Amino acid sequence: PTLSTEQAVRPHVRELGLGLGLRAQVDYNGDDELTFFGGGLVFRYIFVPRFGLELTVDGLGNDERRLEVPISLSALVIFNPRGHVQPYLIIGSNVTISTDLDEEVSAVYSGGHFGVGTEFMIGRRLGVTIEARTFVQDIINEDHDDIEWGLTFNTGFNFYI
């Protein structure tokens, strides 16, 4: 098949549609001053060149035998969607299930996040991402408030199908 003029000139233009990926994450919880490490799955749906949705599911742990599973739904605003380097804003909500493995105590948090990132398009279907987010969340399965805040740093890749 022959390439269109745009494809020949801009072979890095991302395909619209579904993106699947993996990522590594470092999470700093400022309230408890805990650092978590882990990774997860990324599901992206780019429905127009400048906008998309993202669903992430991560598994994070730390040296104090605490496990967290954050699930996030986010909106993406993509700048420079036809370039090799595509910065974006990300805003969304999240639910985090937190378990202390020594005490078998579980907590469920709900909150929101905001951040910035960049996707480096290696080809029409493969992008490498780097991003930073800040989050605020409150406990929802207990009677008292336990507001937490923190930062996350992610890197990974997305394959668009």
Side-chain angles (χ1 to χ4, degrees):
T2 60
L3 296 175
S4 71
T5 304
E6 182 176 351
Q7 289 172 327
V9 174
R10 297 179 178 269
H12 54 277
V13 174
R14 175 186 35 244
E15 295 284 334
L16 298 179
L18 185 64
L20 306 172
L22 296 173
R23 70 181 188 171
Q25 179 172 329
V26 176
D27 180 86
Y28 171 74
N29 184 327
D31 186 48
D32 295 331
E33 296 187 3
L34 298 174
T35 303
F36 292 87
F37 301 94
L41 299 173
V42 179
F43 303 94
R44 281 190 173 181
Y45 180 62
I46 308 298
F47 50 91
V48 296
R50 293 193 183 274
F51 299 100
L53 295 174
E54 178 182 85
L55 175 68
T56 60
V57 179
D58 296 302
L60 307 171
N62 68 9
D63 58 356
E64 294 184 17
R65 295 189 40 85
R66 188 165 153 192
L67 175 67
E68 291 197 342
V69 179
I71 302 166
S72 300
L73 180 61
S74 308
L76 303 170
V77 178
I78 302 163
F79 302 98
N80 193 30
R82 298 199 181 275
H84 284 290
V85 178
Q86 300 180 1
Y88 57 89
L89 295 176
I90 189 164
I91 187 168
S93 61
N94 53 281
V95 173
T96 301
I97 302 164
S98 179
T99 302
D100 187 332
L101 299 176
D102 291 333
E103 299 176 17
E104 298 181 14
V105 174
S106 292
V108 179
Y109 293 84
S110 177
H113 58 271
F114 175 79
V116 295
T118 301
E119 186 164 30
F120 300 93
M121 296 307 297
I122 296 174
R124 290 183 62 80
R125 298 191 183 274
L126 183 62
V128 175
T129 59
I130 297 173
E131 66 180 38
R133 301 181 190 193
T134 184
F135 66 89
V136 176
Q137 59 189 14
D138 192 7
I139 196 164
I140 61 174
N141 68 331
E142 295 182 12
D143 291 336
H144 67 281
D145 284 337
D146 187 12
I147 296 174
E148 292 187 344
W149 65 274
L151 303 170
T152 63
F153 301 96
N154 308 307
T155 186
F157 68 90
N158 295 310
F159 181 75
Y160 294 92
I161 53 176

